C-alpha cells in the first residue's frame, strides 16, 4: 500500500506555493487541480452538544475543463485539529479516513453537499444532524462532491448531465483527492462513499467500477486528474441500480398484484414528500408481468451468484426458488432484530409467529402488504415517462429507452434506445461482472424493509455480486424503513470505523 506522509510542513509549503510564484511556475501552466490549503472559511458544527471547529474549502473544481462548474466541484471539510498536529479519537491528519457523501437524489443534478443541510430527506429527518457533521465529529475528513444530473441543459440546448455524467464527476472527485494526497489531511486509501437511492446507486457504482477503462475518455476530456479512482468502502442506502433488469425484478416481486399506488410527482426522489394515487394494472399488463418475471428468472440464473452460505441464487420461471427464499430470509432476519430490539411486530400480516417468536415470512403476503408503488414497467416507461428515461437521454435527446423490452413496446413514435455501453457505465451490477474494475473491499448496503421504489432482489443481487468480487458485504433490510437513508448514523460509523481498519 502506498501510504503517504502528511505533515504540517507539507501544508505550509503548499500554502507558500499558492501565494507566491516561483520561476518554475511562471514557465509551466499552473495546475488548476492543485489544492490550496490557505483558502478556507472557518465553520463550526454542533454534534451531540459539542461544537467542532472545521476548515471549509468549498466549491473546489475537480476537473480542469468543467461543462457544469457548479456541479463538477467538491466541498472539503477538515477538523481544525488536523492543522495543529491534533488528534480526534484514533485519527490524525495522516490517518483520518475520508467520508465521501454524494447528495444525489432522483438522478438529478446535485451541488456539493454542505454541513448544515441534511443528506437524508424525508420531512421528519431534515432537522437531524447530517452524516457529514457526525463524520467530522468522529475525526473523518469530509469530501462532499457534486454531480451532474439528468435535467441539466447548456445554454445552447445540449443536455449535459445524461448517463454516465454523474459517475464520471464522482470519479473525478476521487482522483482529485488522490492528486492532492500530499497536500491535504486524510488518508486517500480510506475513502468511504455514501449515498441514498440514486445516490446509493452511484455510491455502489463508485465501489464497483474503480479504475475501469470505460470512463477514461470522459475523464480525460473533462481534464480530470490522472490516476486511480478506486475506493475503500461503499455505504449505499436503497440503491436504485441494476436499471437494465429492475423492471423485471419489480414484476417478479409484485407478481400478480393488480393495484398500485402511483406517486403523482414526476421527480421521484427520496427527499420529496410523496402523494399516492391508486391505479390498476389491466389484463394485458398482467400478462406482460408474467413474461417479465420469467425473463427475470433467466437473468438471475445466468448470474450464477450465491448466498453467503454458498447456496446458488436461482429462480424458476414461476418466480419461486432460492433467491426468493434468500430475500424472505433477509426479511425474517429484519423482523427478528426488530423484535429483539423491543418493537412490536406481531400485527405484521406477512409474518408467521409462534410462542412470541417470528418463525417465517410469507413473501407473497409481504408484497401485497407493502404494495406496488410504480406502474409497469417501473423504470423504462413505454411512454418515456420516468426519471430513468430522462437519465438515459444523450446530448441531443432528452429521453430514451434503455431496455430492448421497453423499446419494443414503446408508445412514443421515433423513440430511441441508449447503447449498451452507456447502460453499463451507470450500473454497479454490470461493473461488478467485469473483471477489469477494481472493487471496494468493504460494502454496507441498507434497504428499508418497506421500501417499494425497487425490488428487494436488487440489493440482494448487488450484495452477492460484490461478495463474489471479494468484498466483505454487510446487507440488511432495516425494519419498517421506507425509501430513505442516513437513518442509522451510529451504526454506519461503527461499521466505517471497523472497515477503515484504523
Ligand atoms: C429515486 C427514487 C426512485 O424511485 C427512482 O426510480 C430513482 C431515484 C431517488 O429517490 O433518488
Amino acid at each position: 500500500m502506498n501510504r503517504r506522509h502528511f505533515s504540517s510542513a507539507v501544508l505550509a509549503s503548499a500554502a507558500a506555493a499558492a501565494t507566491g510564484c516561483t520561476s518554475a511556475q511562471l514557465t509551466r501552466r499552473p495546475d488548476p487541480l492543485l489544492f490550496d490549503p490557505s483558502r478556507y472559511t472557518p465553520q463550526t458544527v454542533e454534534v451531540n452538544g459539542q461544537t467542532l471547529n472545521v476548515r471549509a474549502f468549498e466549491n473546489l473544481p475537480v476537473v480542469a475543463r468543467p461543462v457544469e462548474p457548479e456541479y463538477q466541484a467538491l466541498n472539503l471539510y477538515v477538523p481544525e485539529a488536523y492543522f495543529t498536529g491534533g488528534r480526534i479519537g484514533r485519527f490524525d491528519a495522516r490517518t483520518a479516513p475520508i467520508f465521501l457523501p454524494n447528495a444525489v437524489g432522483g438522478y438529478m443534478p446535485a451541488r456539493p453537499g454542505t454541513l448544515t443541510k441534511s443528506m437524508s430527506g424525508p420531512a421528519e429527518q431534515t432537522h437531524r444532524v447530517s452524516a457529514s457533521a457526525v463524520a467530522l465529529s468522529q475525526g473523518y475528513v469530509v469530501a462532499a462532491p457534486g454531480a451532474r444530473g439528468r435535467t441539466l441543459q447548456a445554454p445552447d440546448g445540449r443536455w449535459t448531465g445524461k448517463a454516465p455524467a454523474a459517475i464520471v464527476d464522482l470519479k473525478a472527485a476521487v482522483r482529485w483527492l488522490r492528486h492532492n494526497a500530499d497536500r491535504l489531511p486524510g488518508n486517500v486509501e480510506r475513502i468511504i462513499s455514501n449515498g441514498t437511492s440514486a445516490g446509493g446507486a452511484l455510491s455502489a457504482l463508485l465501489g464497483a467500477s474503480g479504475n475501469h477503462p470505460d470512463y477514461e475518455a470522459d475523464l480525460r476530456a473533462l481534464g480530470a486528474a490522472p490516476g486511480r479512482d478506486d475506493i475503500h468502502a461503499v455505504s449505499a442506502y436503497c440503491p436504485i441500480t441494476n436499471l437494465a433488469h429492475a423492471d423485471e425484478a419489480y414484476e417478479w416481486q409484485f407478481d400478480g398484484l393488480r393495484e398500485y399506488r402511483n406517486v403523482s410527482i414526476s421527480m421521484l426522489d427520496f427527499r420529496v414528500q410523496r402523494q399516492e394515487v391508486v391505479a390498476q394494472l389491466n389484463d394485458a399488463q398482467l400478462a406482460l408481468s408474467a413474461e417479465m418475471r420469467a425473463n427475470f428468472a433467466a437473468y438471475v440464473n445466468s448470474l450464477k451468484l450465491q448466498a453467503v452460505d454458498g447456496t446458488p441464487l436461482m429462480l424458476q420461471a414461476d418466480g419461486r426458488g432460492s433467491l426468493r427464499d434468500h430475500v424472505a430470509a433477509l426479511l425474517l432476519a429484519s423482523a427478528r432484530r426488530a423484535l429483539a430490539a423491543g418493537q412490536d411486530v406481531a400485527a405484521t400480516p406477512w409474518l408467521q409467529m409462534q410462542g412470541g417468536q417470528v418463525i417465517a415470512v410469507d413473501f407473497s403476503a409481504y408484497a401485497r402488504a407493502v404494495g406496488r408503488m410504480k406502474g409497469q414497467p417501473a423504470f423504462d416507461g413505454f411512454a418515456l415517462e420516468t426519471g430513468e428515461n430522462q437519465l438515459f437521454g444523450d446530448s441531443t435527446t432528452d429521453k430514451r429507452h434503455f431496455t430492448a423490452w421497453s423499446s419494443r413496446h414503446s408508445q412514443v413514435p421515433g423513440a430511441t434506445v441508449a447503447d449498451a455501453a452507456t447502460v453499463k457505465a451507470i450500473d454497479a451490477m454490470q461493473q461488478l461482472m467485469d473483471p477489469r474494475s477494481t472493487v471496494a473491499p468493504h460494502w454496507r448496503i441498507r434497504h428499508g424493509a418497506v421500501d417499494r421504489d425497487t425490488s428487494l432482489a436488487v440489493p440482494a443481487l448487488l450484495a452477492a455480486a460484490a461478495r463474489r468480487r471479494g468484498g466483505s458485504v454487510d446487507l440488511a433490510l432495516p425494519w419498517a424503513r421506507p425509501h430513505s437513508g442516513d437513518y442509522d448514523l451510529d451504526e454506519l460509523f461503527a461499521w466505517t470505523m471497523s472497515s477503515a481498519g484504523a
Side-chain angles (χ1 to χ4, degrees):
M1 183 154 323
N2 192 4
R3 283 187 88 86
R4 276 169 324 100
H5 295 284
F6 170 85
S7 73
S8 50
V10 175
L11 274 186
S13 69
T19 45
C21 269
T22 63
S23 56
Q25 279 177 317
L26 291 175
T27 49
R28 271 189 288 124
R29 251 195 297 154
D31 177 355
L33 301 182
L34 213 56
F35 174 57
D36 174 359
S38 71
R39 301 185 63 151
Y40 66 92
T41 51
Q43 292 186 8
T44 57
V45 281
E46 300 275 337
V47 181
N48 297 331
Q50 305 264 29
T51 302
L52 184 77
N53 293 319
V54 302
R55 293 191 184 182
F57 305 88
E58 293 181 319
N59 299 311
L60 306 168
V62 295
V63 292
R65 293 180 290 280
V67 293
E68 294 285 355
E70 285 172 45
Y71 298 94
Q72 297 173 296
L74 179 75
N75 284 350
L76 184 73
Y77 302 96
V78 183
E80 179 66 34
Y82 292 161
F83 294 93
T84 53
R87 300 179 66 85
I88 299 182
R90 283 183 285 175
F91 302 124
D92 60 25
R94 191 177 58 82
T95 60
I98 301 176
F99 184 62
L100 189 108
N102 75 68
V104 174
Y107 286 105
M108 296 290 284
R111 298 251 164 85
T114 62
L115 301 181
T116 48
K117 204 174 116 200
S118 172
M119 297 288 161
S120 58
E124 80 273 13
Q125 291 188 18
T126 46
H127 297 299
R128 293 185 358 172
V129 65
S130 72
S132 293
V134 174
L136 284 164
S137 74
Q138 299 197 14
Y140 296 75
V141 166
V142 170
R148 287 168 293 164
R150 59 182 164 91
T151 52
L152 286 179
Q153 200 169 17
D156 68 1
R158 293 174 76 82
W159 300 98
T160 53
K162 303 302 187 186
I167 186 62
V168 172
D169 294 345
L170 297 185
K171 282 175 174 290
V174 171
R175 288 185 175 201
W176 183 94
L177 289 167
R178 281 220 172 77
H179 186 64
N180 288 293
D182 292 333
R183 292 174 206 89
L184 50 86
N187 181 354
V188 294
E189 297 308 325
R190 291 291 180 274
I191 295 174
I192 300 155
S193 162
N194 184 52
T196 296
S197 193
L202 290 166
S203 181
L205 179 55
L206 206 48
S209 67
N211 309 324
H212 198 287
D214 281 355
Y215 306 91
E216 199 52 47
D218 284 353
L219 286 160
R220 208 169 280 182
L222 291 163
R228 286 166 46 210
D229 51 54
D230 60 295
I231 59 169
H232 182 68
V234 168
S235 161
Y237 290 94
C238 51
I240 300 287
T241 189
N242 202 342
L243 294 174
H245 296 279
D247 289 333
E248 299 163 355
Y250 209 76
E251 301 309 316
W252 165 78
Q253 176 160 322
F254 295 106
D255 174 25
L257 257 190
R258 216 178 250 282
E259 181 181 293
Y260 66 100
R261 285 166 256 158
N262 199 15
V263 176
S264 66
I265 46 172
S266 60
M267 198 208 84
L268 272 181
D269 181 335
F270 64 97
R271 284 171 295 218
V272 175
Q273 206 69 43
R274 290 146 178 248
Q275 287 210 328
E276 296 182 340
V277 178
V278 176
Q280 303 275 326
L281 297 188
N282 59 32
D283 288 346
Q285 286 175 310
L286 279 185
L288 281 186
S289 188
E291 270 186 70
M292 292 168 85
R293 189 181 63 218
N295 289 349
F296 185 57
Y299 162 68
V300 167
N301 298 342
S302 77
L303 294 173
K304 298 192 164 44
L305 291 169
Q306 299 180 345
V308 194
D309 65 2
T311 311
L313 296 174
M314 310 286 283
L315 288 178
Q316 302 157 23
D318 68 0
R320 300 191 177 274
S322 54
L323 174 66
R324 196 169 188 269
D325 298 342
H326 175 62
V327 172
L330 290 168
L331 288 169
L332 184 68
S334 172
R336 286 181 172 160
R337 273 192 307 271
L339 187 63
Q343 296 188 52
D344 183 8
V345 303
T348 311
W350 42 274
L351 285 182
Q352 199 184 328
M353 309 277 300
Q354 204 171 65
Q357 297 301 307
V358 188
I359 58 164
V361 160
D362 176 340
F363 192 65
S364 302
Y366 162 81
R368 279 197 304 277
V370 296
R372 181 180 180 121
M373 184 193 100
K374 294 186 173 181
Q376 185 209 60
F379 295 88
D380 190 354
F382 292 164
L384 295 177
E385 71 273 32
T386 73
E388 283 77 11
N389 289 127
Q390 196 179 34
L391 171 68
F392 284 106
D394 64 11
S395 62
T396 55
T397 319
D398 188 21
K399 298 170 179 180
R400 293 191 296 179
H401 290 295
F402 50 94
T403 65
W405 173 271
S406 290
S407 177
R408 259 200 318 278
H409 290 86
S410 186
Q411 295 162 355
V412 179
T416 53
V417 60
D419 55 292
T422 302
V423 179
K424 178 189 175 204
I426 200 75
D427 182 11
M429 195 68 193
Q430 290 190 52
Q431 286 293 330
L432 285 173
M433 300 295 148
D434 186 337
R436 291 176 300 168
S437 56
T438 307
V439 173
H442 299 278
W443 293 65
R444 182 178 192 267
I445 303 169
R446 291 292 180 270
H447 192 101
V450 298
D451 186 334
R452 302 98 29 91
D453 277 52
T454 196
S455 164
L456 299 183
V458 169
L461 293 176
L462 181 70
R467 203 174 280 124
R468 181 161 70 189
R469 293 296 304 277
S472 102
V473 184
D474 176 342
L475 165 68
L477 311 179
W479 186 252
R481 285 284 171 197
H483 190 62
S484 54
D486 291 0
Y487 39 69
D488 55 355
L489 295 178
D490 289 347
E491 292 161 53
L492 170 64
F493 287 109
W495 174 83
T496 58
M497 203 60 89
S498 66
S499 67

